[in-house]
Amino acid sequence: MKKVIKNLAIGAILITSMSSCATIVAGGSPRITIDGDTKEPVTIITEKQTYPNVQLPYTVQVNRHHIDGQRIQIQSDKDSYRDVVLEKKVNSWTWGNILLGGLIGWSVDLITNCVSKPSKPNYFIEKRTE
């Protein structure tokens, strides 16, 4: 019994020491909020999912990989909107992970692409004037 507890404790310590802060805290698909000056429902199309007939503001999930340059389309029956183009920035949890988790934890963050996140949490859509 003592050996089992000892093995579990060692396993827990190894997992904790090799884990990555950014992946644990900010893992999964990043979320952003789309807002705009419209009362009609719109359809939001991301690389991750399509959100039909939603009222703004609306929070959507975006693809964690290839954040920089990722386009989000906004469609409506009446109006035409410019695409939202995402830019990335460094996730601040990454710096803590470099200090605490070392290269192994930082490598996990790189593999899961949790070292980056969208540069802004909110985006305001603009109507096309063409």
Side-chain angles (χ1 to χ4, degrees):
M1 185 66 167
K2 287 183 181 183
K3 187 174 184 178
V4 171
I5 293 173
K6 181 180 177 183
N7 287 339
L8 287 174
I10 290 171
I13 290 168
L14 283 173
I15 289 172
T16 303
S17 66
M18 292 184 197
S19 63
S20 53
C21 295
T23 301
I24 292 170
V25 174
S29 298
R31 296 176 187 268
I32 61 166
T33 300
I34 306 290
D35 200 356
D37 189 20
T38 181
K39 298 294 182 205
E40 69 174 319
V42 297
T43 298
I44 303 172
I45 302 168
T46 69
E47 286 185 12
K48 187 98 173 142
Q49 188 174 347
T50 299
Y51 302 86
N53 298 319
V54 297
Q55 294 287 342
L56 299 181
Y58 198 79
T59 301
V60 299
Q61 291 183 340
V62 296
N63 190 359
R64 165 137 333 263
H65 300 281
H66 312 291
I67 290 174
D68 212 19
Q70 192 174 147
R71 292 189 174 276
I72 299 171
Q73 297 176 341
I74 314 299
Q75 298 176 347
S76 153
D77 291 337
K78 293 181 182 178
D79 295 311
S80 178
Y81 297 96
R82 296 183 190 274
D83 290 352
V84 172
V85 180
L86 300 181
E87 294 177 353
K88 69 179 178 179
K89 72 176 186 178
V90 174
N91 185 343
S92 57
W93 285 101
T94 301
W95 305 118
N97 190 43
I98 291 171
L99 295 173
L100 298 175
L103 291 177
I104 294 172
W106 188 62
S107 298
V108 171
D109 284 344
L110 284 173
I111 292 167
T112 60
N113 198 35
C114 287
V115 295
S116 61
K117 65 181 184 178
S119 62
K120 301 185 297 187
N122 301 306
Y123 291 83
F124 196 83
I125 60 172
E126 299 175 11
K127 291 183 183 177
R128 290 182 190 227
T129 56
E130 297 172 5

